[in-house]
Amino acid sequence: QVWQIRLDMHLLNHDGNIIDAASIAGIVALCHFRRPDVSVQGEEVTVYTPEERDPVPLSIHHMPICVSFAFFHQGTYLLVDPTEREERVMDGLLVIAMNKHHEICTIQSSGVVMLLPDQILRCSKITAVKVAEITELIQKALENDQKARKEGGKFGFAESIPNQRITAFKMESAAVDTNDVEEQAGEIIAKADPPSEVIANPVLHTPGTAQIGEGIESSWGDLEESEKEEAAEEEGESEAAAFECEKVETEDTSTVRKTKNEPIVLSDSEEEEVVILEPQELPRKTR
């Protein structure tokens, strides 16, 4: 037989970075929770009430705390604990969960930014410092609560509201002047650098290949030395074959042999129209 514990979180309001806030709230709730004491004798299980025995805490070996990093300008700038407005314009988000023993529990990356190993290592070092600070605050809060309970003082959610220990996201309304918005936008656009050309003109190195932008030139169209020698031999054979004799049969089964710069001689004396065939180049052997 085991205890079944379910942790539900209800989001009232937030100003960004809800993952870190939820992880802190969840681990503190589990550390603060007390279950009824139990005794087992054979198959008989006795669950004691709080009046009979003091409830006991859960066995929590470590506290994984999440720390979020927002990246801007393709990872050039990073920001810890982003606000809701910063999350709207960030390029990517990296969440690292770690305990105070510098043990990484999970890493989650989202967005359109590609991170380098050095950037992840830098974020892990910052996470180790932040987790140590947050864990110390959590332990102090739990000790103060335990001390208040032993002294018989007031504690709990209801007592935290009048003491202003529970804060709510609240912003006072402010008037915004939008008369010169177009002028300000025009000045910003005028001072900004023109956008860089994204796609350059294609560079045609050899027929059938192309390259866009800068990079290593393709060598698909270049022949190796052995292929060049074979191509030269095949070209010489084709030229020699072009000068070879061709056999032509006439209507009276007379055959003649024609070579380059030689007239065609018929076997009979009849005059017939003669068509001189030019030497044809044989098709080259293709690989």
Side-chain angles (χ1 to χ4, degrees):
Q1 296 183 0
V2 296
W3 289 103
Q4 182 180 3
I5 301 175
R6 188 181 68 182
L7 177 63
D8 295 331
M9 296 186 184
H10 299 276
L11 181 62
L12 301 179
N13 49 54
H14 75 98
D15 191 26
N17 197 12
I18 189 61
I19 297 178
D20 294 8
S23 68
I24 296 174
I27 194 64
V28 172
L30 294 175
C31 293
H32 186 268
F33 176 74
R34 298 293 186 272
R35 64 169 180 83
D37 196 4
V38 180
S39 64
V40 180
Q41 294 180 356
E43 295 182 356
E44 183 180 357
V45 178
T46 304
V47 179
Y48 298 97
T49 62
E51 290 77 13
E52 295 175 345
R53 289 188 182 181
D54 293 335
V56 296
L58 301 178
S59 298
I60 298 178
H61 302 287
H62 63 95
M63 298 182 185
I65 305 297
C66 294
V67 179
S68 298
F69 299 88
F71 293 91
F72 303 89
H73 295 284
Q74 297 299 322
T76 305
Y77 305 100
L78 68 87
L79 182 66
V80 184
D81 190 10
T83 62
E84 191 268 340
R85 291 186 177 182
E86 293 166 344
E87 288 180 346
R88 293 184 181 182
V89 296
M90 65 183 181
D91 295 333
L93 181 69
L94 177 66
V95 181
I96 301 178
M98 184 184 295
N99 57 20
K100 65 178 182 180
H101 305 294
H102 297 181
E103 296 175 348
I104 296 178
C105 303
T106 182
I107 296 180
Q108 180 183 3
S109 177
S110 60
V112 295
V113 63
M114 300 296 292
L115 300 178
L116 300 175
D118 294 340
Q119 292 175 312
I120 299 178
L121 182 61
R122 179 188 177 189
C123 293
S124 64
K125 293 180 180 179
I126 298 175
T127 302
V129 177
K130 294 298 181 181
V131 167
E133 297 176 355
I134 296 174
T135 303
E136 185 179 357
L137 294 175
I138 293 175
Q139 292 176 348
K140 287 183 179 180
L142 294 173
E143 291 175 0
N144 295 335
D145 180 80
Q146 187 67 19
K147 183 179 179 181
R149 290 174 181 270
K150 289 182 178 180
E151 294 177 354
K154 296 181 179 181
F155 52 86
F157 183 80
E159 297 297 330
S160 300
I161 296 177
N163 296 332
Q164 297 182 355
R165 295 179 57 186
I166 297 180
T167 60
F169 176 61
K170 182 180 179 181
M171 293 182 62
E172 298 180 358
S173 59
V176 179
D177 186 10
T178 60
N179 294 327
D180 57 345
V181 173
E182 295 183 358
E183 297 179 0
Q184 294 179 1
E187 293 178 358
I188 294 175
I189 295 174
K191 295 179 180 179
D193 297 332
S196 59
E197 189 176 1
V198 179
I199 301 177
N201 296 328
V203 179
L204 186 63
H205 296 287
T206 54
T209 63
Q211 176 182 339
I212 298 177
E214 299 179 356
I216 302 177
E217 296 184 358
S218 174
S219 59
W220 296 345
D222 299 338
L223 298 178
E224 297 181 357
E225 295 296 333
S226 59
E227 295 179 349
K228 290 181 180 179
E229 295 177 358
E230 294 178 1
E233 294 177 358
E234 294 174 359
E235 185 176 358
E237 294 176 357
S238 61
E239 292 178 356
F243 294 99
E244 291 181 356
C245 298
E246 297 180 356
K247 294 181 180 181
V248 180
E249 295 183 358
T250 58
E251 293 181 356
D252 59 349
T253 66
S254 299
T255 59
V256 296
R257 181 175 299 274
K258 175 183 177 299
T259 59
K260 185 178 180 181
N261 298 328
E262 291 182 1
I264 297 178
V265 181
L266 300 178
S267 58
D268 52 4
S269 60
E270 297 180 358
E271 295 182 357
E272 296 181 359
E273 183 180 0
V274 179
V275 178
I276 301 176
L277 300 178
E278 297 294 336
Q280 298 180 356
E281 183 179 358
L282 298 178
R284 299 180 181 180
K285 182 180 178 183
T286 58
R287 295 179 61 83

